[in-house]
């Protein structure tokens, strides 16, 4: 009986763990991601300046354009090498980006800047799915900048002392009636809200997806679509846990009766 009870208990634990682990929030790689109708994604991005000599933007708009291919390739190299993690490396990489764009007055920079310039002549693989920019144009998704701030301290850049790169988050919602496979393109351009400030060219560093989950409600014949919240999970677990508990009690009673019957047989 003890072994049977332990076995049944293990099944209960496994079922509960599986249900709790089936939530709709998932951190994904920075390539393609899938959004169901009504699903949302939060994309963390890093962005570098594209206009030498202009001020760093305090606020930026959601992306609506794409940088030239050479700049995309240079940004892909910066992301791949993790150059944004160190302020000195990031600044040298920024000089390389300005050289790729053709800013004649920009400092030439050092070895990192030269590598960024060389990377502009290489190729980068295209992610599968639909670019966020195309999905916005098609009316399939809405996008909005949720946060934006500079990285590090201001530095001397020519005649200015200013920031040159920053980090933000972009919120995406699937407003269509179909499941979409999307990606944040490298080199997406975030225009400033203040005319004359820098336009920022970005790449994604992290994507968190939250999709709605369709849950079958036992009291009705119609499935009910609920958001992924702790309350929704609790409502789903309650009837399941009740059934499992009743099953455990019934199993225990059957095993106990069998034990009593065997005892009576031996006594007879």
């Amino acid at each position: 009986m003890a072994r049977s009870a332990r076995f049944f208990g293990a099944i209960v634990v496994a079922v509960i763990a599986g249900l709790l682990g089936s939530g709709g929030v998932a951190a994904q790689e920075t390539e393609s991601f899938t959004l169901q109708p009504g699903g949302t994604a939060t994309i963390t991005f890093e962005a570098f300046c594209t206009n030498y000599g202009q001020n760093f933007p305090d606020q930026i708009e959601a992306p609506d354009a794409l940088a030239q291919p050479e700049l995309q390739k240079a940004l892909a190299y910066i992301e791949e090498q993790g150059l944004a993690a160190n302020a000195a490396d990031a600044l040298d990489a920024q000089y390389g980006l300005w050289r790729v764009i053709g800013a004649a007055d920009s400092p030439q920079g050092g070895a990192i800047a030269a590598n960024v310039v060389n990377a502009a002549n290489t190729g980068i693989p295209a992610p599968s799915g639909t670019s966020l920019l195309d999905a916005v144009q098609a009316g399939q998704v809405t996008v909005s900048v949720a946060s934006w701030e500079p990285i590090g301290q201001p530095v001397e850049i020519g005649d200015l002392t200013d920031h040159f790169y920053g980090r933000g988050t972009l919120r995406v919602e699937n407003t269509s009636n179909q499941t979409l496979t999307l990606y944040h393109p490298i080199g997406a351009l975030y225009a400033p809200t203040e005319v004359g400030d820098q336009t920022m060219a970005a790449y994604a560093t992290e994507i968190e997806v939250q999709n709605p989950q369709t849950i079958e409600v036992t009291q009705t014949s119609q499935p009910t679509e609920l958001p992924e919240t702790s309350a929704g999970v609790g409502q789903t677990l309650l009837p399941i846990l009740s059934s499992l508990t009743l099953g455990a009690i019934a199993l225990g009673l059957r095993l106990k009766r069998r034990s009593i019957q065997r005892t009576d047989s031996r006594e007879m």
Side-chain angles (χ1 to χ4, degrees), residues 175-239:
T175 55
S176 75
N177 59 1
Q178 59 184 309
T179 298
L180 303 173
T181 300
L182 305 166
Y183 67 89
H184 180 290
I186 295 176
L189 295 177
Y190 290 72
T193 57
E194 186 72 25
V195 176
D197 286 350
Q198 295 270 356
T199 293
M200 309 300 295
Y203 53 80
T205 60
E206 184 180 355
I207 301 173
E208 185 179 83
V209 173
Q210 174 136 17
N211 280 314
Q213 185 180 51
T214 300
I215 302 173
E216 189 73 21
V217 179
T218 56
Q219 290 84 351
T220 69
S221 60
Q222 298 296 326
T224 301
E225 191 166 287
L226 299 175
E228 278 302 311
T229 63
S230 58
V233 173
Q235 292 169 358
T236 305
L237 285 177
L238 183 58

Side-chain angles (χ1 to χ4, degrees), residues 38-84:
T40 61
T42 300
I43 301 175
T44 303
F45 63 88
E46 293 172 345
F48 285 76
C49 291
T50 64
N51 309 106
Y52 178 74
Q54 296 182 9
N55 293 324
F56 186 87
D58 292 329
Q59 297 181 14
I60 53 178
E61 304 281 359
D64 60 358
L66 194 59
Q68 63 199 66
E70 293 79 11
L71 186 57
Q72 295 177 49
K73 297 170 186 176
L75 278 169
Y77 175 80
I78 292 174
E79 178 189 13
E80 178 185 337
Q81 298 298 315
L83 298 177

Side-chain angles (χ1 to χ4, degrees), residues 51-140:
N51 309 106
Y52 178 74
Q54 296 182 9
N55 293 324
F56 186 87
D58 292 329
Q59 297 181 14
I60 53 178
E61 304 281 359
D64 60 358
L66 194 59
Q68 63 199 66
E70 293 79 11
L71 186 57
Q72 295 177 49
K73 297 170 186 176
L75 278 169
Y77 175 80
I78 292 174
E79 178 189 13
E80 178 185 337
Q81 298 298 315
L83 298 177
N86 178 277
D89 291 346
L91 181 58
D92 208 17
Q94 176 68 77
Y95 292 151
L97 290 177
W98 279 325
R99 286 171 56 184
V100 169
I101 296 170
D105 296 335
S106 168
Q108 293 297 294
I112 290 177
N115 290 337
V116 170
V117 172
N118 291 333
N121 299 314
T122 63
I124 55 174
S128 60
T130 302
S131 164
L132 278 179
L133 305 183
D134 294 337
V136 170
Q137 289 295 321
Q140 297 174 312

Side-chain angles (χ1 to χ4, degrees), residues 142-186:
T142 59
V143 295
S144 59
V145 175
S147 66
W148 169 247
E149 61 183 2
I151 299 175
Q153 300 299 316
V155 296
E156 290 187 8
I157 305 173
D159 296 331
L160 296 175
T161 299
D162 205 350
H163 299 283
F164 63 92
Y165 73 137
R167 181 180 294 111
T169 54
L170 183 71
R171 187 180 185 276
V172 183
E173 181 178 1
N174 181 357
T175 55
S176 75
N177 59 1
Q178 59 184 309
T179 298
L180 303 173
T181 300
L182 305 166
Y183 67 89
H184 180 290
I186 295 176

